[in-house]
Amino acid sequence: MGMVQNPVLPGCYPDPSICRVGEDYYLVNSTFEYFPGLPIFHSTDLVHWTQIGHVITRADQLDYSGIASSGGLYAPTIRYHDGLYWLVCTMVYPDQPDRPGNFLMTATDPAGPWSDPIWLGTAGIDPSIFFDDDGRIWFHGTRLALEPQWHDQTEVWVREYDPVAQRLVGDETVIWRGAQLGVVWAEGPHLYKVDGRYYLMTAEAGTEIHHCVCIMRADSVTGPYEGNRANPVMTHRHLGREVDVVGAGHADLVQAADGSWWAVLLAMRIYGGYHYPLGRETFLVPVTWQDGWPVFAPGVGRIPAAVEVPFADDTPLGVTQGAIGGPVLPGDPCWNSLRGPADFATADGDAWRLRPTTDTLSDIGQPAFLGIRQQHRCADFSATFSPALADQQEAGLVIRQGERDHVRLAISPSADGYTVTAVHRQAGVEHHLGQVSLTAGSVRLAVSARGRDYTLTCIGADGAQQVVGHADASTLDTIATGGFLGLWLGIYAHDGGRPGEGSVRVDKVEYLPVPDSEG
Ligand code: 6LW
């Protein structure tokens, strides 16, 4: 018997999708503008998850150019069929909302490499794919409804996919517009066949406090679908804001090898007021079937804090789940760059060597940035910088929400050493939080998160720790900024408009979770 604390994947791992192949489970999440895109996790027991790769690993696989923060890769679906892993997803270009962004990729090994995309020519988001037992393949997704009477609503549509022609064929059928009158946005659809009936599961009411999971069924894949009278079958919206976990929704079902059923879904842990700086995380919920309908967390009705998995063992959780902290080394799969490969970085033993870029963290470009998700409300993130920088150049640590919202702890050259400055860029406007001077030498920078309070410190050649400034997580989460992301903690370097000059060695990068009374 294994026990797992929720969330099973802490930090910004939204829109989970899961499939099982024999005893192996594979899970994928949205990654927006980050690269590599769409991490693939593997487990044999739903408790212990290890990241085995990413779907998007090559610069020429997808065009990330112009993708602002919280655009990009939304809500993938992973399935296995006929010797192949199938992944469908959407590349969202926020400034080109009608650009058809739904694509399909396949792989013989879920760790990769994954194919180039097959573009399906359809707009809308949250695609899924269903393999019927008669050999037909059904692509489905969500888009804004076309008819005026459904203005501002979404609709779920289904259409057959021809794997030989590699395109959608036949007529499209709109199969769902939402389970509840007055409630917007049926999203994240997934079709299943259970005991001879077709089931459509959707996320509804938007990915915030009213988020929920609804289930419908039909005798034919194209409907008509009948809603479960128990809908929504999972939500936390009736609990209000005075609760530890909000926003339960966007689920995917999987049947375990022992016949039991499970759902993965997203939700947010709130702290420091009604804020969720860690973003939307992946949770696990047991499911049973009663009277031909799934019951989520039977007898409990909300996401359990801990889940017992009968077929799991009780070995400690792995590093990827954040249970153990410590050094974060080049080559660890948790690192992300922005909008493309980290061509500006090379591994130098256990250190990174960064070549500063003209693109900055405020640009919708490819700044020299490497970051990892903040996965715990209390954690220390630190790194030692050995900068060789020219005037106007800077390097340091960043707490990143997006181009418009981040906090930088920046080292820049001064006449007799360095200046270390803390800057909060808030809705595109820069505010200075503090500054200290250091003599030349290596500099250790640290961000200490304690709930919503971040303390930004530096240690120079004299070994004395100095506080440079403080920041507040509740100004950086999506409640404050909008968008879909949790926070990343990263290292960066800007060339100040002097390309080719400067370099920075960054070593002893560490992420240490700090136990706190709230867990
Ligand atoms: C995703 C939509 C949603 O496409 O948020 O959770 C969007 N719901 O289904 C981005 O993650």
Side-chain angles (χ1 to χ4, degrees), residues 33-195:
E33 73 271 29
Y34 285 100
F35 189 96
L38 310 178
I40 301 273
F41 289 89
H42 170 252
S43 176
T44 53
D45 61 7
L46 299 173
V47 167
H48 302 82
W49 291 96
T50 308
Q51 191 178 336
I52 56 168
H54 284 93
V55 177
I56 311 300
T57 53
R58 303 182 298 278
D60 59 3
Q61 227 170 344
L62 283 180
D63 172 18
Y64 276 73
S65 56
I67 290 192
S69 178
S70 284
L73 289 161
Y74 282 24
T77 299
I78 187 167
R79 296 289 183 259
Y80 175 80
H81 174 70
D82 211 10
L84 272 187
Y85 292 84
W86 299 64
L87 180 124
V88 292
C89 191
T90 313
M91 195 68 169
V92 175
Y93 294 88
D95 58 346
Q96 302 170 63
D98 297 328
R99 181 166 171 177
N102 289 328
F103 64 84
L104 186 158
M105 290 177 176
T106 56
T108 51
D109 179 347
W114 286 78
S115 71
D116 286 334
I118 297 168
W119 294 98
L120 296 166
T122 50
I125 58 168
D126 296 3
S128 188
I129 195 159
F130 167 67
F131 300 88
D132 207 346
D133 40 25
D134 60 4
R136 296 174 80 179
I137 304 174
W138 297 92
F139 188 86
H140 44 297
T142 301
R143 63 165 179 238
L144 278 175
L146 303 175
E147 299 82 359
Q149 71 268 34
W150 296 101
H151 180 69
D152 223 16
Q153 301 282 330
T154 51
E155 56 193 20
V156 178
W157 57 276
V158 61
R159 204 173 157 198
E160 192 168 0
Y161 176 72
D162 179 339
V164 177
Q166 298 194 332
R167 62 183 179 85
L168 299 178
V169 292
D171 291 334
E172 168 196 291
T173 311
V174 172
I175 54 173
W176 195 247
R177 287 196 172 87
Q180 306 138 86
L181 279 178
V183 170
V184 286
W185 306 318
E187 297 179 317
H190 293 301
L191 285 168
Y192 312 91
K193 196 169 191 182
V194 182
D195 288 340

